[in-house]
């Protein structure tokens, strides 16, 4: 075990696979190509895995022009990544732009993302037309094949034995193909978003649906953030594919193999977060926001994603102000939103709806010297950390969310006995629900009432709830998430029949 508390995963090297990689290349003003850390919490979490294997290579997509240039310079092969962390090699896969668009902006998002977060309005959307079929056949499938071939080459270069850890819904077809070519690989897939019940998958034509399930069942272990998602996955295998499942042992039989499902809630690194929250840049934002704030601060921090339920959050705030005129001028709703997936039509339209609704609420309730909702679409993480310190109520009302790391980060940083108002449909609710104020994501009146209850809660109760949430997150930290996965890798790779 090392100082992070994580154990070694045994003798095999690691091949890690995700769409966004550990590094993103850009061109500086002086014309030099510079490497920046890849975006998102997932990258930070996964970077910790590399040090526990006998060598690690991370296979990811070459996303921007400079990524592509870097990949070409290495002729598509893996190269050493320089940095302070454990030794890591990166292989950036250059995708044909049209195939990449079909893979990312038609099938992964929105089609699969919307199915897995129950976002389609089934009376009207989606239409499965030649466009979607073409995007699957000429985008998702070939991109997955290209990734599978890149992974297989890395496994072969490592002598045929390796632990392959796939991430997320972009790569459901990879494991089956790698298994066929590399029988010595142990295949593990972590799915970071919800897994819905079987009927939700009936949106897809049977051929596409079965291809996706057969593909993901090429793994030895399939992991989720919550037990409910693992259970739903098994129910899908039973009902949609007619496979034998064991709902006590959480396994599914596929031919002569048994595939295990597991659940481990992802988390954050409390020390790293608390250190970042102590920086001078954060202190500057704290000073500014403190000057601007009213008596009560309601906060939300999200990617501008439909699954986050941002519109209903503003409608609930509108209802709160209707029901409690005494709050006029005394409360602000600060929404720090990060525009996301701007090459997907639904996301562009969603952001527009957000802007319009914020204007409506502000026009209805605002006065010359009070803007009820502050919408910020280009803040940085320092501002987020400052806002975490200052909120009285944090709103996480997601329609469905695999985990929701904002809920976990915010309770570690808050300095005002802030209350977490948390959707019952988030993975985080399993751990934090009993200390949060519950939000029912579709019930606007309930959300408004819950916000009022949170804003007017007695100080001792607020403090106790916040401390309890923070204690849970400190206990179930990112090191624990890594440790549990490494334990699974050791345990199940010993059992998996391998050539
Ligand atoms: O939660 C799933 C996920 O793919 C994360 O891994 C990622 O941080 C997030 O969604 C953002 O998605 P994208 O890579 O499409 O911006």
């Amino acid at each position: 075990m090392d100082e992070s508390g994580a154990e070694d995963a045994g003798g095999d090297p690691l091949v890690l696979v995700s769409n966004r990689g550990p590094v993103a290349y850009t061109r500086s003003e002086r014309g030099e190509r510079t490497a920046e850390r890849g975006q998102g919490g997932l990258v930070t979490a996964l970077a910790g895995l590399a040090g526990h294997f006998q060598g690690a290579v991370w296979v990811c997509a070459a996303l921007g022009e400079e990524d592509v240039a870097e990949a070409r310079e290495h002729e598509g092969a893996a190269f050493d990544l320089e940095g302070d962390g454990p030794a890591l090699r990166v292989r950036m896969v250059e995708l044909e732009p049209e195939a990449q668009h079909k893979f990312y902006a038609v099938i992964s998002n929105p089609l699969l993302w919307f199915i897995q977060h129950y976002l389609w309005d089934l009376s009207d959307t989606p239409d499965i037309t030649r466009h979607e079929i073409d995007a699957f056949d000429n985008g998702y499938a070939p991109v997955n094949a290209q990734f599978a071939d890149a992974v297989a080459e890395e496994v072969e270069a490592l002598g045929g034995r390796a632990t392959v850890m796939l991430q997320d819904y972009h790569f459901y077809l990879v494991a089956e193909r790698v298994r066929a070519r590399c029988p010595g690989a142990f295949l593990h897939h972590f799915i970071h978003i919800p897994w819905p019940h079987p009927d939700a998958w009936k949106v897809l034509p049977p051929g596409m649906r079965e291809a996706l399930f057969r593909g993901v069942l090429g793994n030895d272990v399939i992991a989720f953030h919550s037990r409910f998602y693992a259970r739903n996955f098994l129910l899908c295998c039973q009902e949609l594919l007619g496979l034998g499942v064991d709902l006590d042992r959480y396994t599914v039989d596929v031919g002569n193999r048994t595939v295990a499902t597991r659940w481990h809630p992802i988390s954050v690194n409390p020390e790293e977060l608390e250190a970042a929250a102590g920086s001078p840049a954060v202190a500057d934002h704290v000073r500014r926001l403190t000057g601007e704030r009213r008596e009560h601060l309601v906060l939300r921090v999200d990617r501008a994603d439909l699954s986050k339920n941002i519109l209903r959050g503003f409608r609930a705030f509108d209802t709160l102000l209707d029901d409690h005129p005494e709050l006029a001028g005394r409360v602000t709703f600060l929404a720090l939103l990060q525009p996301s997936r701007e090459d997907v039509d639904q996301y562009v339209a969603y952001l527009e709806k957000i802007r319009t609704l914020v204007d409506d609420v502000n026009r209805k309730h605002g006065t010359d010297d009070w803007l009820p909702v502050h919408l910020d679409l280009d803040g940085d993480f320092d501002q987020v950390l400052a806002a975490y310190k200052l909120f009285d109520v944090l709103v996480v009302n997601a329609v469905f969310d695999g985990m929701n790391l904002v809920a976990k980060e915010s309770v570690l940083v808050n300095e005002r006995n802030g209350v977490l108002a948390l959707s019952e449909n988030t993975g985080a609710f399993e751990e934090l629900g009993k200390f949060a104020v519950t939000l029912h994501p579709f019930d606007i009146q309930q959300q408004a009432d819950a916000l009022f209850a949170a804003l007017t809660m007695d100080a001792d109760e607020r403090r106790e709830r916040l401390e309890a949430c923070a204690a849970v997150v400190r206990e179930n930290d990112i090191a624990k998430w890594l440790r549990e996965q490494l334990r699974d890798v050791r345990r199940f790779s010993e059992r998996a029949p391998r050539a």
Side-chain angles (χ1 to χ4, degrees):
M1 233 190 262
D2 71 1
E3 73 277 4
S4 76
E7 299 163 50
D8 282 334
D12 288 346
L14 170 68
V15 181
L16 200 52
V17 186
S18 62
N19 183 45
R20 287 190 194 278
V23 68
Y25 290 92
T26 50
R27 193 155 286 274
S28 72
E29 278 171 13
R30 290 197 311 191
E32 292 155 355
R33 188 175 312 138
T34 53
E36 282 168 18
R37 190 168 164 161
Q39 274 178 33
L42 184 57
V43 164
T44 318
L46 292 175
L49 274 174
H52 302 283
F53 288 81
Q54 309 294 323
V57 56
W58 193 325
V59 180
C60 59
L63 289 173
E65 253 176 58
E66 295 302 325
D67 281 4
V68 169
E70 186 73 19
R72 284 186 187 168
E73 232 161 70
H74 297 281
E75 296 175 346
F79 55 91
D80 290 327
L81 192 66
E82 282 156 32
D84 310 332
L88 180 62
R89 292 167 66 68
V90 181
R91 175 167 174 155
M92 289 190 145
V93 180
E94 180 182 348
L95 303 169
E96 194 271 312
E98 206 179 316
Q100 184 164 24
H101 176 79
K102 291 172 179 174
F103 154 77
Y104 182 82
V106 183
I107 300 298
S108 302
N109 309 293
L111 190 54
L112 296 177
W113 181 272
F114 277 33
I115 288 174
Q116 295 198 232
H117 292 84
Y118 300 94
L119 292 175
W120 290 118
D121 167 8
L122 293 185
S123 68
D124 190 30
T125 60
D127 287 341
I128 305 293
T129 65
R130 231 177 269 149
H131 175 66
E132 283 72 25
I133 305 290
D134 167 67
F136 190 78
D137 292 344
N138 298 312
Y140 194 84
V143 166
N144 270 252
Q146 207 183 329
F147 265 85
D149 292 345
V151 169
E153 279 173 25
E154 293 304 324
V155 173
E156 284 161 2
L158 291 162
R161 277 185 77 93
T163 295
V164 177
M165 297 183 84
L166 301 159
Q167 310 298 317
D168 251 335
Y169 56 103
H170 311 90
F171 298 120
Y172 288 153
L173 305 181
V174 169
E176 188 183 26
R177 193 171 165 115
V178 174
R179 173 174 293 283
R181 187 164 150 185
C182 304
F186 173 74
L187 291 148
H188 180 286
H189 199 143
F190 204 108
I191 295 166
H192 293 266
I193 63 176
W195 197 277
H197 60 66
D199 282 350
W201 290 97
K202 292 191 176 159
V203 160
L204 296 179
M208 201 188 280
R209 187 166 77 208
E210 275 168 31
L212 291 168
F213 275 86
R214 294 276 170 205
V216 82
L217 285 167
N219 285 286
D220 295 294
V221 174
I222 304 166
F224 302 89
H225 289 312
S226 133
R227 187 170 62 84
F228 298 113
Y229 308 152
R231 189 181 153 78
N232 279 344
F233 179 80
L234 294 174
L235 293 175
C236 287
C237 293
Q238 189 174 48
E239 288 181 26
L240 301 174
L241 283 91
L243 296 174
V245 304
D246 184 329
L247 291 171
D248 294 320
R249 293 173 55 230
Y250 281 82
T251 57
V252 47
D253 292 327
V254 187
N256 59 358
R257 295 187 301 118
T258 298
V259 176
T261 63
R262 310 286 294 158
W263 55 94
H264 303 300
I266 198 168
S267 192
V268 297
N269 180 332
E271 292 78 36
E272 217 173 87
L273 197 70
E274 280 155 1
S279 78
V282 172
D284 285 346
H285 283 296
V286 167
R287 264 189 296 280
R288 180 180 54 79
L289 290 172
T290 306
E292 289 168 12
R293 66 167 294 148
R294 300 287 169 128
E295 185 183 339
H296 305 289
L297 181 65
V298 177
L299 174 70
R300 81 172 304 143
V301 176
D302 280 307
R303 269 187 316 107
D305 193 295
L306 292 85
S307 65
K308 305 292 181 183
N309 209 14
I310 294 162
L311 297 173
R312 286 198 191 85
F314 291 136
R315 287 187 201 125
F317 189 64
D318 176 26
T319 304
L320 172 76
L321 296 178
D322 281 341
D323 292 353
H324 296 281
E326 73 277 15
L327 287 176
R330 293 169 53 208
V331 59
T332 306
F333 190 162
L334 175 60
L336 303 180
L337 303 182
Q338 189 194 353
S340 181
R341 301 179 185 163
E342 291 171 281
D343 44 355
V344 179
D345 293 346
Q346 284 89 342
Y347 285 75
V348 175
Y350 191 58
L351 202 50
E352 211 32 59
K353 281 189 186 171
I354 290 173
R355 285 199 179 95
T356 306
L357 181 56
V358 167
D359 285 349
D360 289 350
V361 175
N362 280 338
R363 210 170 306 118
K364 178 172 162 194
H365 295 282
T367 60
D368 285 348
D369 73 337
W370 174 54
L371 193 66
V373 182
H374 286 220
L375 176 62
D376 190 321
L377 298 172
D378 45 29
D380 59 12
F381 195 56
D382 289 331
Q383 175 172 230
V384 168
L385 287 168
Y388 281 165
K389 288 189 178 198
L390 297 177
F391 71 82
D392 298 298
V393 179
L394 181 92
V395 177
V396 178
N397 66 331
V399 171
F400 279 93
D401 205 338
M403 172 49 61
N404 197 287
L405 289 179
V406 167
K408 292 191 170 183
E409 289 171 349
S410 59
V411 295
L412 291 174
V413 175
N414 184 264
E415 293 176 349
R416 281 180 64 90
N417 296 331
V419 179
L420 173 63
L422 184 60
S423 161
E424 61 176 350
N425 292 348
T426 57
F429 193 81
E430 258 180 40
E431 293 164 88
L432 301 178
K434 57 178 181 290
F435 308 116
V437 166
T438 303
L439 295 182
H440 300 296
F442 309 102
D443 187 339
I444 304 286
Q445 186 64 53
Q446 187 277 340
Q447 288 180 54
D449 295 345
L451 288 183
F452 186 72
L455 284 170
T456 52
M457 192 179 278
D458 130 317
D460 286 343
E461 186 178 348
R462 294 161 63 98
R463 197 189 58 250
E464 277 164 27
R465 284 175 183 251
L466 181 68
E467 283 172 0
C469 285
V472 170
V473 180
R474 283 204 183 87
E475 171 71 26
N476 300 343
D477 64 356
I478 191 67
K480 184 171 174 192
W481 183 69
L482 292 176
R483 204 158 57 230
E484 288 182 343
Q485 287 193 83
L486 294 170
R487 198 167 292 154
D488 279 357
V489 167
R490 262 210 323 277
R491 180 175 149 203
F492 290 97
S493 62
E494 277 164 15
R495 289 187 201 163
R498 289 203 273 169

